[in-house]
Amino acid sequence: MPDLSTTYLGLHLKNPLVPSSSPLSHDLDAVLHLEDAGAAAIVMHSLFEEDVRHDERMIDRFLVHPDTFGESAGHLPFGHDYQSRLDSYLEKMLRLKSRLSIPVVASLNGSTLNGWVELGKELESAGADALELNAWYMPSDPRVSGAAIEDHHLSLLQELKTVVSIPVGMKLSPFFSSLPHFVHQAEAAGAAGISLFNRFFQPDIDLETLSVVDRVQLSSSADTLLAMRWIAILRGSTRLSLAATGGVHTAQDALKMLLAGADVVHMASALLKQGPQALSEVLQGVTSWLREREYTSVAQMKGSMSQQNSPNPSTFARASYLHVLNSFVPPAGVRY
């Protein structure tokens, strides 16, 4: 039996399959089923700083200063009856920690310095084994440079590291002008790992109602290629743990990520579509593949197809783009 163990964010995991941040972690029973299916750790759904701040404003408006509303204040809940989203998140964290035997990683999506620091301390106190910082910012202001956004992310990370002792990973978007440079800066600032890549849900336009609508679009296996390429480039150039996230549906998807150099493989859409069985099938497929090729461990094969170990490193660089374009053959029967 191959040794499937791996290390991520300083945590020793029994295998590299980790359900990523998704609505599934709202349900304790669902998480227990994922553990039974072989999950090595669980990343909780994200706690959004905006939601916490909104709750604080609502508490201040309705509970701290109820006299402002005269007789209508009598219909408002008493303070001890109100549970904020932070309270709910911390309660779920405590329940998961009490029932699971695998590590629990909290997911924090914040944007301001005080927000990340304060919430990070709360999550550590509740028992989180590690923190995943979802570093997302929509750069819609033309006056804000890419360097300023990167500096902001790094400042948040540095400040958080001064108040928490648990490992901190950053979940990044693919929209960096020089991703390797930022990763090296994050390593110097105290990050323990990075997850590539954050998958965004884009707004759409409804042509019938002429309105902007939000639609959930789950991933497919094709979505793995971007993260696989960058993990292959980064493996060997940083000591940070590398997590591949986005598009892993099959054992083949997971194996490619590991061969590129990922320490762990996150799964979400496949679990939402198929349930815990999807994770079990991927784990069985990875194990069978390793056994058939006589690998003794995940560590033995991990990163063997990275750019550093590739006999032709240019396959991960610009040369592959040129090769694909030059080698394209139109489908039979198509006339131009």
Side-chain angles (χ1 to χ4, degrees), residues 5 16 67 88 95 98 100 106 137 189 197 206 214 231-232 240 284 298 312:
S5 64
D67 293 341
S88 177
R95 292 177 64 200
S98 68
L100 298 174
Y137 176 80
F197 286 107
D206 189 313
D214 295 319
I231 286 172
L240 294 182
Q284 292 172 11
V298 164
N312 185 12

Side-chain angles (χ1 to χ4, degrees), residues 55 59 78-89 91:
D55 282 344
I59 290 172
F78 290 107
H80 63 271
D81 294 328
Y82 183 82
Q83 186 178 51
S84 70
R85 269 167 275 203
L86 174 58
D87 293 331
S88 177
Y89 195 94
E91 181 180 306

Side-chain angles (χ1 to χ4, degrees), residues 203-270:
D204 197 359
I205 294 177
D206 189 313
L207 296 177
E208 294 298 323
T209 62
L210 294 182
S211 60
V212 178
V213 294
D214 295 319
R215 293 192 176 99
V216 174
Q217 295 177 330
L218 299 180
S219 70
S220 68
S221 292
D223 294 318
T224 60
L225 297 180
L226 182 63
M228 185 188 73
R229 182 182 204 173
W230 277 108
I231 286 172
I233 292 172
L234 291 170
R235 173 54 66 188
S237 69
T238 178
R239 292 173 297 175
L240 294 182
S241 295
L242 301 176
T245 183
V248 174
H249 290 255
T250 67
Q252 289 76 17
D253 298 334
L255 286 163
K256 290 175 184 179
M257 293 295 201
L258 294 169
L259 286 165
D263 294 294
V264 297
V265 176
H266 288 313
M267 296 180 66
S269 290

Side-chain angles (χ1 to χ4, degrees), residues 294-309:
E294 300 183 348
Y295 282 100
T296 60
S297 66
V298 164
Q300 182 186 4
M301 54 87 76
K302 185 170 61 179
S304 59
M305 294 291 293
S306 66
Q307 185 180 52
Q308 181 186 48
N309 293 321

Side-chain angles (χ1 to χ4, degrees), residues 57-248:
R57 289 193 298 270
M58 295 297 287
I59 290 172
D60 183 71
R61 180 182 180 190
F62 292 119
L63 303 180
V64 179
H65 303 291
D67 293 341
T68 306
F69 303 94
E71 293 182 2
S72 64
H75 300 285
L76 298 173
F78 290 107
H80 63 271
D81 294 328
Y82 183 82
Q83 186 178 51
S84 70
R85 269 167 275 203
L86 174 58
D87 293 331
S88 177
Y89 195 94
L90 296 175
E91 181 180 306
K92 289 175 184 175
M93 169 71 70
L94 292 170
R95 292 177 64 200
L96 289 176
K97 287 295 296 179
S98 68
R99 297 290 302 276
L100 298 174
S101 61
I102 57 177
V104 178
V105 179
S107 177
L108 178 58
N109 194 315
S111 57
T112 67
L113 191 62
N114 289 337
W116 281 27
V117 171
E118 293 173 7
L119 296 178
K121 289 193 294 185
E122 294 273 11
L123 295 171
E124 181 179 40
S125 298
D129 294 291
L131 275 176
E132 179 183 82
L133 300 184
N134 198 323
W136 181 74
Y137 176 80
M138 178 61 74
S140 57
D141 188 340
R143 297 168 296 180
V144 179
S145 69
I149 295 172
E150 293 183 10
D151 288 343
H152 180 67
H153 287 336
L154 294 170
S155 295
L156 294 171
L157 172 63
Q158 289 171 329
E159 189 65 22
L160 181 59
K161 285 296 298 177
T162 65
V163 297
V164 300
S165 58
I166 56 177
V168 177
M170 299 191 77
K171 191 170 187 177
L172 303 179
S173 80
F175 307 125
F176 285 85
S177 58
S178 178
L179 182 64
H181 177 71
F182 180 80
V183 169
H184 281 212
Q185 287 184 299
E187 182 176 353
I194 56 169
S195 296
L196 305 177
F197 286 107
N198 199 345
R199 188 168 178 273
F200 303 111
F201 295 103
Q202 309 293 356
D204 197 359
I205 294 177
D206 189 313
L207 296 177
E208 294 298 323
T209 62
L210 294 182
S211 60
V212 178
V213 294
D214 295 319
R215 293 192 176 99
V216 174
Q217 295 177 330
L218 299 180
S219 70
S220 68
S221 292
D223 294 318
T224 60
L225 297 180
L226 182 63
M228 185 188 73
R229 182 182 204 173
W230 277 108
I231 286 172
I233 292 172
L234 291 170
R235 173 54 66 188
S237 69
T238 178
R239 292 173 297 175
L240 294 182
S241 295
L242 301 176
T245 183
V248 174

